[in-house]
Amino acid sequence: MKSYAPHDLLAAPALRTKSLFLTLVGFIAIEFMYQLGRDLLDYLLVNLAPGVAPVIFDGIAPIAVLYDLFGFAVLGLLVVFVARRNHDRGLRTLVGPFGLAKEDFRRAVLAAGVMHLMLLAIVPWGLDQADMIPLDHWLRVAPVAIVALLVQTGAEELFYRGYLQQQLAARFRNPLIWMVLPNIAFAWVHWSNGADFTDSVYYVGWAFIFGLAASDLTARSGSLGAAIGFHLMNNVFAFMVADVAGFPGSGLALFLFPGDPLPLSPDDGAALVPDLTDSWLIWQMAVDLAVIGVTWLAVRVAIRR
């Protein structure tokens, strides 16, 4: 595709080591070592700060959410290590030209941020029914939260739209392969984010569509800057604007909706087959997909050259 010509340049360094076996080994190695790295962080936390560990593992307090987000630095470092070890590729070859990536990031953050603010203003999200935490407290935490979210989104983009997408693009010319396969992996790791089976299925589907949008922005721009900016602003609004009180990950939100602090699981009697006929679920899916669509379009227009 002519519109994806910049991606050919971005993925060109991967041509030297385009072996599918090496890429698969790299993918498995990153996933395995990342889990070990996170387990090691948890082990150190339990042994060095046993009084804080229960609060962190609860996943609700601001410090717990920040701990989880900053932990994605382990993923980013492992991607750089494996790309160098297996493919003789440095960080610049994964991100693209730094100047271009920086400009794409700036444009994406501005476009996605403005679009999210507009949607926040015109869509009836029901924030009037939520409790607002003290604004001064939220503002104190916000700068650190944004940095933590940048670490998280940057690491995920480096892995899925950087390493995996580019290595597969060097091996397969068909965009259906190098866009779909990395985002199946990206979607699958979001399974446990759901409260029950139906919620998990929904969230995996959402993550797959979101990943495709990020892959498209990467392919059109020739750098990871646009995808990181797009991802960052999505997560800023997802983590820092509104959430359900007592749910894991809600500690950074300005508005908290009342809800059951203990999410359901299949053992609690949740349905093992998602009810896709539920009118509220259909409405939520439509809104969330529309948000992805209009935000992706805004960023795509912003990075056009």
Side-chain angles (χ1 to χ4, degrees), residues 53-215:
V55 177
I56 298 293
F57 295 149
D58 194 39
I60 298 173
I63 190 174
V65 185
L66 293 175
Y67 172 84
D68 180 60
L69 294 174
F70 276 117
F72 279 85
V74 176
L75 175 63
L77 291 172
L78 285 172
V79 173
V80 174
F81 171 77
V82 170
R84 173 67 72 182
R85 181 67 179 81
N86 275 20
H87 310 279
D88 194 27
R89 299 184 59 188
L91 178 63
R92 185 182 295 272
T93 70
L94 296 170
V95 175
F98 285 162
L100 175 63
K102 181 179 178 181
E103 179 61 18
D104 286 340
F105 175 79
R106 184 188 68 81
R107 294 187 185 190
V109 165
L110 182 61
V114 169
M115 184 56 63
H116 276 292
L117 284 173
M118 291 175 59
L119 292 171
L120 196 62
I122 64 177
V123 176
W125 301 106
L127 294 180
D128 56 320
Q129 302 176 27
D131 295 323
M132 181 177 175
I133 71 168
L135 184 60
D136 60 335
H137 171 74
W138 185 82
L139 290 174
R140 283 197 300 269
V141 177
V144 182
I146 291 173
V147 173
L149 287 167
L150 180 58
V151 169
Q152 179 238 341
T153 55
E156 288 191 335
E157 292 305 319
L158 199 62
F159 185 28
Y160 295 103
R161 263 66 69 177
Y163 178 74
L164 278 181
Q165 179 167 314
Q166 293 168 34
Q167 287 299 136
L168 289 174
R171 180 64 179 81
F172 303 101
R173 297 289 299 173
N174 191 336
L176 289 178
I177 297 176
W178 54 258
M179 288 182 72
V180 170
L181 291 182
N183 288 307
I184 290 176
F186 175 69
W188 181 250
V189 300
H190 287 77
W191 174 266
S192 61
N193 289 36
D196 57 23
F197 186 82
T198 298
D199 191 36
S200 293
V201 169
Y202 165 80
Y203 199 62
V204 164
W206 175 91
F208 179 72
I209 299 300
F210 181 87
L212 287 179
S215 288

